[in-house]
Structure formats: C-alpha cells, structure tokens
Amino acid sequence: MSQAAEAAYRTITVKPQPSGFGAEIGGVDLAKPLPAGQLAEVKAAWARHSVLAFPDQPLSLHELEAFTLEIGPYGVDPFVAPMPGHPNVLEVRRDPNETLTPFGGAWHSDWSFQATPPAATILRSEVIPPVGGDTLFVDAAAAYEALDEATKAKLAPLKAVHSATRAYGPRSGYAKELDQRSMPIIVSADADKTFAHPLVRTHPVTGRKALFVSPVYTIGIEGMTPAEADPILAGLYKHMVQDRFIYRHKWRVGMVLMWDNRCTMHNAEGGYDGHLRVMHRTTVAGETPA
Ligand code: OGA
Ligand code: MN
C-alpha cells in the first residue's frame, strides 16, 4: 500500500510487514467497544494485510468474547472442549512436560473441513515461552497470484476434499496421544467426514483469489485418484511455503492476533519444550467458500 493510502487511516495506526502481508495495529483499545469508524478501519486493515497483530491488549476472556462479536458471530469449534463457562473460547495450551507436536503444529487453515469454515481466528497470548512458540503464516493469495497462467487455468475448475480425519479421527495422531496432552481434544468418528471446497477460492471482501488447500485438512481432489491428486497438492504446498510468502509472528504477552482463514494457512512452530505456553482462542463464522 502506498504511503498516502497508509495515511488514510484516521483512527488507528497500521505498521505493515515489509511484504504487506501482516501488520501491527496501534491506537486502539480492544477492551472497549470500538467506535464504528475505528472498527471499519480495523476491518479494512485486516482485508488488506490478512494477519493483524494488536500488541499490549491483555484482554479478559469477557473482553476477548466481546471483541470477537464485533468482528462477527462465533464460528463452531469442534474436537476441542471449550473453557468452562466460556463455550466459545478454547484454551490453546502446552505444558512444560509435553513433548508432542503443538496444537496447530503443521500447515492448515482452521476448520477448513467445515461447510462454512471460520473467516477469522482470534488468538490472545496469556503465557509466552522465553524461546520458540512463533506462529508462521502463508499468504495464500500471493502464492496463487505467483502461479503461471497455465497452472491457474488447470486449478480453476478443481475442488479440494477436506477432512479432519488426519487430525481428529479415530486413527489420527491425536487419538493415540490423548493422555499425553493438556488440551481436551475430542477424537470422534465425525472427523472422518469429508467436504469439498473450490481449490482456488475468491475472498468475499477483497475479490482476491487464494489457494485453499493445506496438508493437514486437504485429503484429495474431487474426481482424482490419489496418484493424480497427491503430486498436484504436494507441488502446491512446496510452492506456498516459500519464504517470500511467509510472515513469522513473534509473540509477546497480552497480544491479540487476528488472521483470515480464507486466504492464509498457518503453523504453530513449537521449539519451547520445557516451557508453558497458554493462549485463548475464538473463531468468527465465515461463508461458503466460492
Ligand atoms: C490455532 C492455531 C497456532 C499457535 O489456534 O488455530 O493454529 O501458534 N494456533 O498457537
Ligand atoms: Mn490453527
């Protein structure tokens, strides 16, 4: 965005990452209802930068819930029990003695196996380890735009098949490790259901196209055998996770992060064995991918 356009924000400060993907937002107090003009500017910055970090926002759970509802109605969070008394908040927690992959520790877009996956995920840091614990994001719109025209044409009619089976199904990794995790994961045969979405989806606000696949939740391409689909998907993942498309988010305590699941994927990196990490998380409902 040009400097002139950046200066067009009147009620918040917006400090974009050098690539323009990801931005830090200041001049706002998320603990109070946002005035309409300020909320509109936050939403505009979110549409432009996809991942917004709000430092120094040590919200209570109630304030986190209220801010979430200003962005939109809650999404539906399966496979993890909510916090007691807070049916729409998950605690993303890893205790110092845990050694398994962190929750979210592989590339994914949240709950993309749902008919209407969440538009936003909002994560607020409560306890941050002294080392590691970054969250990585891929700009799936920039990754799409960087494809050559022949590849774009080949992908245009395809539908990717999404499922939670690898993550939360009875034969998943979590199913074998439940007793070694502090998070209340709910393994269920429901996770084996599948749902097809356009492999390239168009963002309902910006109109930008983005790749909508991930190694965790995409299990195939409609009408293709695994032998046909797997190399296509593997090629896309290799393309998407190039450094030029990645924003590495470094946490501080009391930070709110809001990302757009419609045009990004993310990965909780880990690297903090022996330390506690606690986050609180909500989702905002999305629309049918198209
Ligand atoms: C999530 C997630 C990443 C992290 O909450 O959906 O993937 O770094 N979290 O905790
Ligand atoms: Mn996630």
Side-chain angles (χ1 to χ4, degrees):
M1 192 180 270
S2 71
Q3 277 199 326
E6 221 47 81
Y9 294 104
R10 298 161 61 93
T11 63
I12 57 173
T13 61
V14 178
K15 201 168 86 190
Q17 298 300 321
S19 67
F21 177 58
E24 198 168 287
I25 308 298
V28 57
D29 180 1
L30 301 185
K32 300 196 191 106
L34 303 193
Q38 200 174 42
L39 182 60
E41 290 200 339
V42 166
K43 288 183 177 176
W46 186 46
R48 171 69 185 84
H49 301 290
S50 303
V51 184
L52 297 186
F54 301 84
D56 308 318
Q57 306 281 351
L59 306 183
S60 68
L61 292 182
H62 178 72
E63 289 160 350
L64 175 65
E65 289 162 335
F67 171 61
T68 302
L69 290 171
E70 290 190 88
I71 301 300
Y74 290 125
V76 175
D77 294 319
F79 309 127
V80 186
M83 295 186 74
H86 297 274
N88 295 288
V89 182
L90 304 188
E91 184 165 75
V92 176
R93 178 191 183 94
R94 196 165 181 271
D95 282 337
N97 63 354
E98 287 185 55
T99 53
L100 301 172
T101 318
F103 178 77
W107 289 108
H108 65 284
S109 173
D110 288 331
W111 312 149
S112 70
F113 49 83
Q114 293 180 326
T116 54
T121 302
I122 301 174
L123 197 60
R124 202 266 288 111
S125 47
E126 178 83 11
V127 179
I128 289 304
V131 290
D134 295 354
T135 310
L136 306 182
F137 289 87
V138 153
D139 183 344
Y144 171 77
E145 287 159 7
L147 296 171
D148 61 59
E149 294 306 317
T151 305
K152 286 180 185 167
K154 188 178 80 175
L155 299 179
L158 300 183
K159 285 195 150 190
V161 181
H162 297 248
S163 171
T165 187
R166 287 177 191 152
Y168 301 104
R171 293 175 302 283
S172 68
Y174 279 137
K176 298 182 197 101
E177 304 164 343
L178 284 180
D179 55 337
Q180 298 168 61
R181 291 192 180 266
S182 54
M183 284 181 68
I185 305 276
I186 303 162
V187 165
S188 154
D190 260 10
D192 295 339
K193 290 183 184 157
T194 62
F195 215 97
H197 293 303
L199 192 151
V200 176
R201 77 180 281 192
T202 303
H203 195 286
V205 176
T206 66
R208 276 178 95 189
K209 291 181 177 176
L211 293 168
F212 193 57
V213 286
S214 75
V216 171
Y217 293 136
T218 305
I219 61 164
I221 298 176
E222 213 171 61
M224 288 189 184
T225 64
E228 292 163 339
D230 291 352
I232 297 174
L233 292 170
L236 289 176
Y237 301 148
K238 187 162 175 246
H239 170 73
M240 294 168 87
V241 303
Q242 295 176 79
D243 280 349
R244 60 181 165 141
F245 302 129
I246 289 182
Y247 162 58
R248 169 179 290 273
H249 181 69
K250 293 197 171 290
W251 291 92
R252 299 195 292 278
V253 171
M255 213 177 208
V256 170
L257 194 69
M258 175 166 86
W259 66 81
D260 192 329
N261 288 301
R262 300 167 292 192
C263 55
T264 67
M265 64 175 184
H266 60 279
N267 187 348
E269 193 176 58
Y272 55 92
D273 284 5
H275 301 284
L276 177 66
R277 183 176 186 268
V278 181
M279 324 285 270
H280 293 130
R281 175 192 192 276
T282 58
T283 54
V284 175
E287 46 288 293
T288 305

